Amino acid sequence: MDTKRDGRQRRNITTGDSVRIVLKKDQRTGKLTDGTVKDILTNSSYHPHGIKVRLADGQVGRVQECLGDA
């Protein structure tokens, strides 16, 4: 299993996955936040900046890296 799956493809992300996201406030710096996917908010199968998700702690951002099952 590869350790980094593409966060721009919706098929790579499932509820409960560990991911690294970039929050809206961190887009300029590129700072990543680790968390577990609670909800997938992007409906399309692909997004060039990353699929938007809500983490278990309520933070919302775009997936940069999919780390796999939590």
Side-chain angles (χ1 to χ4, degrees), residues 3-70:
T3 55
K4 293 184 185 177
R5 290 176 288 156
D6 187 359
R8 298 175 296 179
Q9 298 285 345
R10 194 173 196 273
R11 68 173 181 258
N12 291 337
I13 304 164
T14 56
T15 304
D17 278 357
S18 292
V19 294
R20 288 197 173 119
I21 65 167
V22 62
L23 302 172
K24 184 83 171 170
K25 66 181 179 117
D26 295 328
Q27 283 177 347
R28 286 182 178 269
T29 64
K31 177 179 175 267
L32 298 179
T33 302
D34 290 1
T36 303
V37 176
K38 180 181 176 191
D39 301 306
I40 301 173
L41 304 176
T42 299
N43 289 322
S44 63
S45 62
Y46 175 84
H47 192 284
H49 300 294
I51 299 298
K52 190 179 278 190
V53 298
R54 177 179 295 115
L55 299 180
D57 64 5
Q59 297 184 94
V60 174
R62 294 198 180 273
V63 177
Q64 302 301 300
E65 295 175 17
C66 303
L67 305 175
D69 300 334

